[in-house]
Amino acid sequence: MKLPRYLQLHALLKEQILSGRYAEGSLLPSENQLSRQHQITRSMVRQALQELEKEGLIRKQQGKGSIVDRKDQKLGL
């Protein structure tokens, strides 16, 4: 069974964050950019980003975007 598109995007972004492609403190592409790049709706992009935020991998900052903020690194885990 195929994963929903937002979960596919979530898995891709998570892998890119954990592998270091997006460094601590760096901005992820905007919702619009991710939507166009992956050919999915902005609401699906938002769902993927919400999952990353719940996992402590990013934080959202209004007017700025989604910032890589790996909580596990800060806790020494």
Side-chain angles (χ1 to χ4, degrees):
M1 187 170 173
K2 196 172 182 182
L3 285 175
R5 300 286 306 269
Y6 82 93
L7 286 177
Q8 292 175 29
L9 177 60
H10 164 266
L12 175 67
L13 291 173
K14 182 176 181 174
E15 187 276 323
Q16 291 174 336
I17 291 168
L18 295 176
S19 72
R21 174 156 185 224
Y22 293 111
E24 178 77 17
S26 67
L27 283 172
L28 293 181
S30 71
E31 290 178 0
N32 285 330
Q33 289 171 319
L34 289 169
S35 177
R36 280 192 303 272
Q37 184 179 6
H38 297 281
Q39 298 179 337
I40 60 175
T41 64
R42 275 186 65 204
S43 64
M44 285 189 194
V45 171
R46 277 191 217 105
Q47 281 183 285
L49 295 174
Q50 285 173 350
E51 292 299 316
L52 292 170
E53 192 172 26
K54 284 181 197 172
E55 293 176 9
L57 294 171
I58 66 168
R59 64 182 162 86
K60 308 265 298 191
Q61 186 173 343
Q62 188 169 357
K64 191 159 188 173
S66 301
I67 303 165
V68 177
D69 186 27
R70 292 181 54 186
K71 304 245 184 283
D72 61 334
Q73 287 181 338
K74 294 177 183 172
L75 297 174
L77 299 177

